Amino acid sequence: MIIKGKVWKYGDNVNTDVIYPGKYTYIRCSPEEMAGHALEVIDPDFSGSVAEGDVIAAGKNFGCGSSREQAAQCLKYAGISAVIGKSFARIFFRNAINNGLLVIESEEASENLSTGDEISIDTEEGTIKSGKMVFNFAPLPDFFSEIIECGGIIPYTRKRLKVNGI
Amino acid sequence: MTFAEKILSVKSGVDRVQAGEIVEVEPDFIMSHDNTASIIKTFEEIGVKEVFNRDRVTVFLDHCVPAANEEHAKNHDDIRKFVREQKIENFFDISYGVCHQVFCEMGFAKPGELILGADSHTTTYGAFGCFSAGIGRSELAVILASGKMWLKVPSSVKIIVEGSFQKGVSAKDLILRIIGDIGSDGALYKSVEIHGDGLQNISMESRMVLTNMSAEAGAKNAYIPPDKTAVDWLVTKGVKDFNPIYPDDDAEYEKVLKYNLNKLVPLVACPDSVDNVKEVSEVEGTKIDQIVIGTCTNGRLEDLETAADILKDKKTAKDVRLLIFPASKEVYLESLKKGIIEILAEAGGIIMNPGCGPCLGAHQGILADGEVCLSTSNRNFKGRMGGSKSKIFLSSPAIAAASALTGKINYFL
């Protein structure tokens, strides 16, 4: 898979309350509405300007806090194709994989990328390229890639339950 | 093997698993709350008609109870219909209280059990020697349909506690000290094991504070080896049959930290991050508009008792609002019988119904921009309790109660 887009840069410990505020978590929102709330607490311009395919480059512990799955979903619905970070909070990491949102751990890329940089990511090669910069990352384990390729854990489970004859 | 390695090898049926491996497990219990409404939709999308095992499913209404508006009312209504249709008996409607507290009171948190919950503070049950971890909503739906889920075996951190708390210092100060020291990602993906002689001086209620807030250091789960204190507590809840799992003596830990309880002082987590921990003396005098005593972290009997001891025969400052949320109906009733509720109300506290209250910013005490709240809850992220320009400090019930008397952050005594 090749991903192309521009970078949105954020810092360390971007938590789920600023990605998708608690006041919306128990309200049914359409994907468009969810996309509209993405990151509104720390970056009110994000949802209006983000384009399909764009990538977030964050610091450490991205997605810490609540288990709310909308934090991963709203970014996906906003058009974000991948999140690059030094590290990810574990439930966010699970939610991202389970919703087919690519998460890449790369300390180097996270440090060197800036907002507005044009980048391309090759998931098979395990490379992130931007101008003259090239960063390598370890590809996801097969098990995770399988879930992402199915489009998330729900289609993956449907496929699997049928296979098992349940 | 560590506790995590040992229990995940037992539950996955693999002889010996190691940190980093991915295993598939069948949880003993699953837990969800108001978010069950959205989980149901995903469950239906999967296309399985019946839940995998209705006796292993627990559902609680607590995050926005009673319903604050039509939207929440619709969610609750959908959930009630679902549990009726699926014949789920372990359903706790709005009168019971906060899921994590009620889950333990009902005796579901048994030593040696594996519990997955669609809530980040599912780590709480580790106080009883469970492996309990938070997962996402879709994952909960997948378990409802299949009974199975994947888990990565975490590496482990060992925390050894010695001594006993000084007067005015509590488990909240210990966990804030730990999070302040290791940072909000200090235990990321890890299993946190708490050991040591100091545990014999820490009540079950206080242990639940430690395991609850381990999530704020990024922990996957937290574990306290079940001892006599735990067994005695379980017996009072009618829980008898359980098989505790203990780590091996030669288990390998990524790091080992030691804390002497005698040396701890009262602490606060300052806005907007739980690891922004300072001594009370450093922020003494900070003006507070609202105080919240309650939540899954500090809304238990001993917490309300501590607050009542400080507020007895005194009045809260005129310009501060003190909101009290007993963590459960059981806590509420016990507090009533002991006269605690009367003391708190006399002092000027507003006694709210058991539930999550304003902790996640849904209702019952939302902050306006510019307002400052001192809360005994577990998160102080920007805008969590309301306006994005409001601020949250976190502290123990003792500091919260003492601060209610002056409307400013201060020590008691």
Side-chain angles (χ1 to χ4, degrees):
Chain A
M1 193 166 49
I2 308 278
I3 288 165
K4 286 187 179 188
K6 66 175 195 308
V7 169
W8 293 80
K9 179 76 179 270
Y10 299 103
D12 292 339
N13 300 314
V14 174
N15 65 72
T16 55
D17 276 298
V18 301
I19 301 173
Y20 196 79
K23 59 188 166 194
Y24 307 125
T25 52
Y26 298 98
I27 294 173
R28 284 159 211 238
C29 291
S30 66
E32 294 74 26
E33 285 167 331
M34 285 174 69
H37 295 309
L39 290 164
E40 68 178 22
V41 178
I42 52 165
D43 189 355
D45 298 333
F46 173 81
S47 66
S49 320
V50 65
E52 195 66 38
D54 282 0
V55 170
I56 286 174
K60 62 175 188 173
N61 203 20
F62 187 85
C64 59
S66 150
S67 65
R68 68 189 65 145
E69 197 159 334
Q70 294 102 320
Q73 289 165 335
C74 74
L75 297 178
K76 192 182 173 191
Y77 296 148
I80 291 295
S81 58
V83 185
I84 301 167
K86 288 183 187 170
S87 63
F88 292 91
R90 58 165 287 271
I91 305 182
F92 180 87
F93 184 89
R94 296 181 72 96
N95 285 336
I97 299 282
N98 289 333
N99 281 279
L101 174 67
L102 189 63
V103 275
I104 298 169
E105 287 192 359
S106 169
E107 196 153 339
E108 227 188 332
S110 159
E111 262 171 26
N112 290 289
L113 292 169
S114 311
T115 293
D117 284 355
E118 296 284 344
I119 66 166
S120 74
I121 301 171
D122 185 325
T123 57
E124 272 158 43
E125 233 180 60
T127 56
I128 302 166
K129 291 177 185 162
S130 178
K132 286 177 185 167
M133 297 186 286
V134 181
F135 313 103
N136 297 308
F137 62 90
L140 288 173
D142 289 347
F143 176 71
F144 293 157
S145 304
E146 211 181 322
I147 294 177
I148 291 178
E149 273 163 30
C150 280
I153 197 159
I154 300 305
Y156 170 83
T157 303
R158 276 155 70 175
K159 189 175 148 197
R160 195 173 167 207
L161 289 179
K162 266 181 212 137
V163 170
N164 292 342
I166 295 169
Chain B
M1 285 189 281
T2 62
F3 167 72
E5 288 168 338
K6 215 161 168 180
I7 191 166
L8 291 178
S9 79
V10 170
K11 300 291 176 183
S12 65
V14 177
D15 271 354
R16 194 181 175 87
V17 302
Q18 276 184 333
E21 278 181 55
I22 291 171
V23 295
E24 191 170 59
V25 293
E26 296 185 15
D28 295 298
F29 280 108
I30 54 172
M31 193 289 296
S32 59
H33 44 70
D34 296 37
N35 58 14
T36 310
S38 110
I39 292 166
I40 295 166
K41 282 173 77 180
T42 313
F43 172 74
E44 285 166 354
E45 214 179 294
I46 296 172
V48 173
K49 293 276 176 279
E50 279 180 32
V51 299
F52 77 109
N53 182 340
R54 64 174 66 95
D55 297 333
R56 294 196 196 178
V57 180
T58 66
V59 179
F60 302 79
L61 294 186
D62 63 353
H63 271 53
C64 188
V65 296
N69 55 36
E70 216 177 316
E71 196 107 36
H72 288 284
K74 169 88 172 74
N75 284 345
H76 293 175
D77 188 45
D78 288 353
I79 295 166
R80 292 187 186 107
K81 282 180 186 147
F82 180 76
V83 297
R84 261 200 309 273
E85 279 164 19
Q86 295 286 335
K87 299 187 177 67
I88 292 166
E89 286 184 13
N90 301 323
F91 170 57
F92 302 91
D93 211 323
I94 66 168
S95 70
Y96 283 87
V98 185
C99 59
H100 302 308
Q101 176 67 14
V102 181
F103 191 94
C104 298
E105 286 172 358
M106 291 293 158
F108 295 124
K110 290 199 281 189
E113 302 270 84
L114 191 149
I115 299 149
L116 297 176
D119 189 277
S120 51
H121 295 110
T122 302
T123 53
T124 309
Y125 321 141
F128 297 88
C130 306
F131 182 96
S132 59
I135 55 170
R137 293 179 181 185
S138 294
E139 297 183 299
L140 210 286
V142 166
I143 304 174
L144 279 178
S146 69
K148 297 187 177 92
M149 185 42 59
W150 64 269
L151 289 177
K152 194 167 151 188
V153 182
S155 57
S156 301
V157 176
K158 186 175 189 175
I159 292 172
I160 300 169
V161 293
E162 282 158 0
S164 55
F165 295 118
Q166 306 260 26
K167 191 171 184 314
V169 179
S170 67
K172 184 61 160 280
D173 302 300
L174 169 60
I175 193 68
L176 288 178
R177 180 70 279 147
I178 294 170
I179 298 166
D181 288 349
I182 66 177
S184 57
D185 62 346
L188 194 55
Y189 301 114
K190 297 186 206 319
S191 170
V192 172
E193 293 188 16
I194 304 170
H195 295 268
D197 292 344
L199 282 173
Q200 58 198 22
N201 305 317
I202 305 181
S203 69
M204 277 327 287
E205 292 170 303
S206 290
R207 293 179 188 190
M208 288 162 80
V209 177
L210 304 178
T211 49
N212 175 279
M213 279 196 75
S214 294
E216 301 313 317
K220 178 173 200 142
N221 72 295
Y223 165 82
I224 295 176
D227 58 5
K228 189 174 177 303
T229 307
V231 172
D232 288 349
W233 199 95
L234 288 161
V235 168
T236 64
K237 305 293 171 200
V239 182
K240 287 175 201 136
D241 303 323
F242 46 81
N243 297 304
I245 292 175
Y246 299 95
D248 294 327
D249 291 340
D250 61 351
E252 282 179 28
Y253 295 92
E254 214 176 82
K255 56 183 164 196
V256 178
L257 302 167
K258 280 190 184 168
Y259 286 89
N260 184 337
L261 304 182
N262 299 79
K263 289 188 178 162
L264 289 172
V265 297
L267 300 168
V268 285
C270 300
D272 297 315
S273 164
V274 186
D275 59 4
N276 187 14
V277 173
K278 292 184 179 161
E279 291 187 15
V280 171
S281 57
E282 294 175 75
V283 290
E284 212 175 346
T286 304
K287 176 85 187 64
I288 301 292
D289 300 291
Q290 175 169 293
I291 293 175
V292 173
I293 299 180
T295 78
C296 58
T297 311
N298 276 124
R300 287 175 262 278
L301 186 64
E302 67 176 24
D303 300 320
L304 302 191
E305 211 158 21
T306 299
D309 285 347
I310 293 165
L311 294 171
K312 191 171 168 49
D313 301 326
K314 297 194 175 108
K315 296 283 178 210
T316 59
K318 278 192 179 135
D319 50 356
V320 71
R321 316 179 290 267
L322 171 63
L323 305 181
I324 316 263
F325 294 84
S328 70
K329 179 160 65 183
E330 191 175 305
V331 170
Y332 198 146
L333 287 171
E334 281 293 312
S335 309
L336 265 178
K337 284 177 200 155
K338 291 192 156 197
I340 292 169
I341 296 291
E342 193 180 342
I343 293 169
L344 295 173
E346 278 281 354
I350 305 161
I351 313 298
M352 309 291 285
N353 59 299
C356 301
C359 173
L360 66 148
H363 70 156
Q364 290 181 325
I366 300 304
L367 301 174
D369 270 342
E371 285 196 315
V372 179
C373 180
L374 175 63
S375 173
T376 65
S377 55
N378 45 36
R379 281 199 184 122
N380 59 350
F381 300 153
K382 197 179 175 193
R384 177 168 170 92
M385 232 182 250
S388 59
K389 292 188 184 70
S390 58
K391 300 230 173 280
I392 307 167
F393 289 83
L394 306 176
S395 78
S396 66
I399 296 301
S403 303
L405 294 172
T406 57
K408 292 171 184 156
I409 295 179
N410 60 256
Y411 289 104
F412 69 102
L413 296 178

